[in-house]
Amino acid sequence: MQFASTQTYIAPPDLAIAVNAAVTLERPLLVKGEPGTGKTELARQVATSLGLPIIEWNVKSTTKAQQGLYEYDAVSRLRDSQLGDARVHDVGNYIRKGKLWQAFEAPGKVVLLIDEIDKADIEFPNDLLQELDRMEFHVYETGETIRARHRPVVIITSNNEKELPDAFLRRCFFHYIRFPDAETLAQIVAVHYPGLKPRLLDEALTRFFEIREAPGLKKKPSTSEFLDWLKLILAEDLTAEDLKKAPGEMLPRLHGALLKNEQDVALFEKLSFLARRQGR
């Protein structure tokens, strides 16, 4: 089972090596990188490349580790007992299986995505240490132990919003997805827009990297935002000439796809003002 680039996803060699190393070691793959660099999509493409189904657990700020294992619905059981429902005698009727349980009991190997783990409480990763390490957990209400039939390929993503515990990091294979260079980004574009004219792509790449490298930028535009921008450019039927900077104009056409806060827009408006002033 070897992961490589797919028809819809360009994986740099170091990323493919990281995925295959994690699969070989049977360790969770912890993937970090800027938002929009394809961390979540990586897990889906790994599943496609390896021919495996995928189970996605999207973590939120309110998510608890226990929810990934199971949840016991005591309220429903109490209500049913008051109504005399016969289901109340089997506690298993009130156990809701979490994503880890689903992955553990799957009939074959699966890819388990734990997406944006850094959104949850700082204790969230530590609470999953034993389950991810031993691939088993105990259900106290029923007294059973759930063990993984087939060890899943676990991919965990993080936007680096908070530090993860050392004990958790020790159990993972780590990879940081660097922002692609112009050549790799052009390959990514070719996958999504194969008919794009070279001159238009070259000009779009030039303008895009000029924006990303602008000093003082609060949020650099991501790969996904660049693809959105290209989609708008094609929809508006713009040419390479349309994307070129006019004298004293720093804001690109359709900049709302790339600049996502008022501070960055104000920065480029100020740069435009200074450029026009110097051009007089």
Side-chain angles (χ1 to χ4, degrees), residues 52-109:
L52 301 175
I54 185 170
I55 295 175
E56 299 187 23
W57 184 13
N58 299 303
V59 177
K60 301 178 181 179
S61 60
T62 56
T63 302
K64 302 299 181 184
Q66 181 64 33
Q67 294 172 307
L69 308 179
Y70 69 92
E71 292 183 275
Y72 171 52
D73 191 354
V75 174
S76 293
R77 192 181 188 196
L78 175 62
R79 183 192 63 232
D80 289 348
S81 67
Q82 294 172 337
L83 297 174
D85 194 321
R87 295 175 70 253
V88 76
H89 299 295
D90 183 1
V91 67
N93 291 324
Y94 304 93
I95 298 293
R96 298 177 181 174
K97 299 177 181 178
K99 298 296 184 180
L100 265 72
W101 190 330
Q102 295 173 29
F104 286 3
E105 72 171 6
K109 201 175 190 68

Side-chain angles (χ1 to χ4, degrees), residues 128-159:
L128 290 177
L129 284 180
Q130 180 173 314
E131 289 75 15
L132 290 177
D133 201 23
R134 298 184 181 180
M135 286 290 156
E136 65 177 39
F137 63 89
H138 187 70
V139 183
Y140 296 98
E141 289 77 8
T142 63
E144 62 182 323
T145 298
I146 306 300
R147 295 184 178 87
R149 297 181 185 178
H150 306 274
R151 195 176 187 95
V153 176
V154 182
I155 297 179
I156 303 169
T157 71
S158 169
N159 287 327

Side-chain angles (χ1 to χ4, degrees), residues 101-134:
W101 190 330
Q102 295 173 29
F104 286 3
E105 72 171 6
K109 201 175 190 68
V110 301
V111 172
L112 172 63
L113 168 63
I114 304 177
D115 200 25
E116 297 188 333
I117 194 172
D118 52 329
K119 277 187 175 181
D121 184 84
I122 188 61
E123 292 303 319
F124 180 92
N126 279 336
D127 291 342
L128 290 177
L129 284 180
Q130 180 173 314
E131 289 75 15
L132 290 177
D133 201 23
R134 298 184 181 180

